[in-house]
Amino acid sequence: MHWPGTFGNTDQDFAREARLAIWETFESLLQRGDAKAIGVCNFTAEHISDLVDAGRTVPMVNQTELHPYCQDPDLVEFCKHHGIVVEAYAPFASGTFGLLSDPAIEAIANALGKTTGQVILKWHLQQGHVVLPKSSNATRIAQNLDLFDFSLDEEQMARITALAPDKPLRTTVDPYTIL
């Protein structure tokens, strides 16, 4: 389910009922064997709780915007606690906010002989996120796959994590505004 509700909706009961109805359809696909897994995208812990509290199947994955400038540690912890895989979309902030040229990330990349993109992807992987980078550039696609010959140490991980602003910088609608 790509979004937990419609943008601008002000009726929370309607939103919850719609989520449950759509999720029941997803569950039927899973039960019939027409899907091997079902998941959500852009759901907050409250949205997922609406499903779980109603006795519905726990989503197998929650695809959410995550990058060093948009971290949601409470949601990530909630998902891990419920066995939900966290998949980070827009791991490079869709090229916005200057993330790929952030001085802290550049310094780490230079020290490791890697690109800033590789460092960001490794930061995600070392936190246990599934990562969904997007590129149409063959060189960058190859770089995005070349992540398994290095690790970030605790200090490097902490430096990247410390880049989180007080208010997350999102490239799309804030899912916390969806009832």
Side-chain angles (χ1 to χ4, degrees):
M1 189 180 326
H2 193 70
W3 279 98
T6 57
F7 307 124
N9 174 48
T10 58
D11 185 342
Q12 190 167 25
D13 290 334
F14 172 79
R16 285 183 176 145
E17 290 172 21
R19 271 193 294 279
L20 286 171
I22 294 166
W23 196 245
E24 286 175 13
T25 300
F26 276 49
E27 288 175 315
S28 70
L29 294 170
L30 183 66
Q31 291 163 357
R32 285 196 323 246
D34 293 333
K36 293 186 182 208
I38 53 176
V40 295
C41 185
N42 300 301
F43 272 50
T44 66
E46 184 177 343
H47 297 135
I48 295 169
S49 291
D50 285 345
L51 301 176
V52 174
D53 293 348
R56 309 311 319 174
T57 303
V58 176
M60 284 91 176
V61 64
N62 185 15
Q63 185 185 70
T64 188
E65 181 174 1
L66 289 176
H67 50 77
Y69 295 165
C70 181
Q71 300 177 43
D72 197 337
D74 292 339
L75 175 62
V76 170
E77 185 57 37
F78 174 89
C79 288
K80 288 181 180 180
H81 175 77
H82 286 86
I84 301 168
V85 172
V86 174
E87 182 175 341
Y89 76 79
F92 306 132
S94 299
T96 62
F97 312 123
L99 178 63
L100 289 168
S101 58
D102 184 283
I105 299 171
E106 282 184 334
I108 294 168
N110 289 337
L112 295 171
K114 293 294 181 178
T115 68
T116 55
Q118 289 171 313
V119 168
I120 291 167
L121 292 175
K122 193 63 168 188
W123 173 79
H124 279 290
L125 292 174
Q126 285 185 213
Q127 293 180 82
H129 304 160
V130 171
V131 187
L132 186 62
K134 180 181 171 191
S135 181
S136 59
N137 179 294
T139 300
R140 283 195 294 267
I141 292 169
Q143 290 170 344
N144 291 345
L145 293 170
D146 186 21
L147 303 174
F148 302 102
D149 62 347
F150 76 102
S151 294
L152 302 174
D153 64 31
E154 286 182 33
E155 187 269 335
Q156 292 165 328
M157 290 290 291
R159 281 178 35 207
I160 297 169
T161 300
L163 295 173
D166 290 337
K167 183 176 183 323
L169 299 177
R170 297 185 187 279
T171 63
T172 188
V173 174
D174 183 345
Y176 288 90
T177 64
I178 308 288
L179 297 179

